[in-house]
Amino acid sequence: MLSFIKTSRWLLAAFTMLAVSQAFGHGMSEAEKQTIIDGGNLSYLLIGTTHMLSGYDHLLFIFGIIFLLTKFKDIVKYITAFTLGHSVTLIYATFNGIQINYFLIDAIIALSICYIAFANLNGFKKYLDIKAPNLLVMITGLGLIHGLGLSTRLQQLPLNQDDLLMNIISFNIGIEVGQVLALTAMLFVMVLLRKSASFKTFSLISNYGLIFAGLFLFMQQMHGYSHTSHPDEFGFSSDNHIHEHIKMDEERAAQVIKNTQHDSIE
């Protein structure tokens, strides 16, 4: 029993540290940006996959969804609802250029982690003495919010306007691939843990830990929101977007000239 509790605490600490390391959401490295700019739809798919696997707030939320679901059909139902929710807003918001302050949207996503853990602990009945909202409806709604977060990050890139929809869809498919990979690993671990007599203890520790992690991420994001004064820092501004395309065209022209000179020398 004692060793199981220690293991549970270690796993909880690992999840918390991962969440803290990504406290400011889903930033992309310069290498990733260049890959997604220069590459085709396959590159967008790969970036989407790695983006989800490093998006610890999304992963913590998924972990919370599956935590107390024991039937496969229920897992499929709730994960499908979440997937549909974030896919709709990811595609719609990106295609229409709808941008939201990413500190603010990530703060709401952090609270969604707290919400799902609170529901897992039967908090509405135990602490508020009210009936919990319909979980399927709430997960779908929270999925819509998660999609806005993904869209806001994706729009930081100078997307190819000629192939915009396919770029977005490819990125979204990558998100789903990453989600399936993460979900498979989580379910495998969960099946093993359910066989333990101490699973109830693990459940309590983990869900209270999810609330703590969610609140910590919320405070981090609100700190960033309160200390960011320039709107262009919130996303990829239209002015910067134009300059980025000019820069890309200049770099391509320089590369063409370089290749031409190289061919003439040969």
Side-chain angles (χ1 to χ4, degrees):
M1 173 69 176
L2 183 60
S3 61
F4 184 85
I5 294 176
K6 288 181 177 179
T7 301
S8 301
R9 288 175 177 170
W10 183 88
L11 288 171
L12 175 59
F15 267 117
T16 303
M17 288 304 294
L18 289 174
V20 170
S21 69
Q22 293 292 321
F24 286 91
H26 307 281
M28 292 183 180
S29 68
E30 290 303 316
E32 286 178 320
K33 288 182 179 181
Q34 197 58 47
T35 298
I36 202 170
I37 290 169
D38 295 338
N41 292 320
L42 180 60
S43 293
Y44 281 82
L45 189 149
L46 293 175
I47 290 293
T49 301
T50 57
H51 203 48
M52 171 55 80
L53 291 176
S54 64
Y56 298 111
D57 46 1
H58 295 289
L59 295 181
L60 288 173
F61 183 78
I62 294 171
F63 179 67
I65 291 177
I66 68 169
F67 207 92
L68 297 182
L69 299 178
T70 56
K71 295 180 180 179
F72 180 74
K73 67 177 183 179
D74 288 336
I75 294 173
V76 171
K77 179 172 67 174
Y78 286 102
I79 292 298
T80 299
F82 176 64
T83 299
L84 289 175
H86 74 240
S87 295
V88 166
T89 46
L90 169 60
I91 295 173
Y92 181 82
T94 307
F95 189 73
N96 290 282
I98 300 172
Q99 294 190 13
I100 299 176
N101 180 297
Y102 57 71
F103 284 118
L104 189 59
I105 198 68
D106 282 356
I108 298 174
I109 289 173
L111 290 180
S112 75
I113 299 172
C114 299
Y115 177 89
I116 198 67
F118 187 72
N120 286 343
L121 293 167
N122 196 27
F124 289 97
K125 182 65 176 177
K126 290 167 71 173
Y127 302 111
L128 303 179
D129 196 28
I130 60 174
K131 183 179 179 181
N134 184 285
L135 187 58
L136 189 62
V137 173
M138 291 304 300
I139 286 178
T140 303
L142 293 172
L144 294 171
I145 295 173
H146 280 244
L148 287 175
L150 293 168
S151 173
T152 300
R153 292 300 183 177
L154 180 56
Q155 288 184 72
Q156 291 178 13
L157 300 171
L159 296 167
N160 183 353
Q161 298 301 311
D162 295 331
D163 200 20
L164 179 60
L165 183 58
M166 283 308 302
N167 288 167
I168 298 170
I169 291 175
S170 297
F171 181 82
N172 191 54
I173 292 174
I175 290 292
E176 307 317 324
V177 171
Q179 180 173 283
V180 169
L181 292 174
L183 184 61
T184 300
M186 290 180 190
L187 289 174
F188 177 76
V189 173
M190 199 66 70
V191 168
L192 295 178
L193 291 175
R194 287 187 194 282
K195 297 178 181 179
S196 171
S198 301
F199 179 74
K200 184 176 181 180
T201 302
F202 175 78
S203 174
L204 288 173
I205 293 173
S206 297
N207 280 290
Y208 278 115
L210 286 175
I211 292 176
F212 170 79
L215 289 175
F216 185 86
L217 288 172
F218 172 77
M219 290 186 291
Q220 288 283 344
Q221 300 299 339
M222 292 308 296
H223 175 80
Y225 175 72
S226 65
H227 285 78
T228 306
S229 57
H230 301 291
D232 283 355
E233 295 178 16
F234 299 153
F236 203 91
S237 70
S238 58
D239 183 58
N240 286 338
H241 188 92
I242 293 172
H243 285 299
E244 185 66 24
H245 275 286
I246 293 174
K247 179 182 176 182
M248 289 166 56
D249 291 339
E250 290 174 346
E251 289 175 350
R252 290 194 183 105
Q255 186 63 43
V256 170
I257 294 173
K258 183 179 179 180
N259 292 339
T260 302
Q261 291 175 342
H262 184 268
D263 292 340
S264 64
I265 293 174
E266 292 182 345

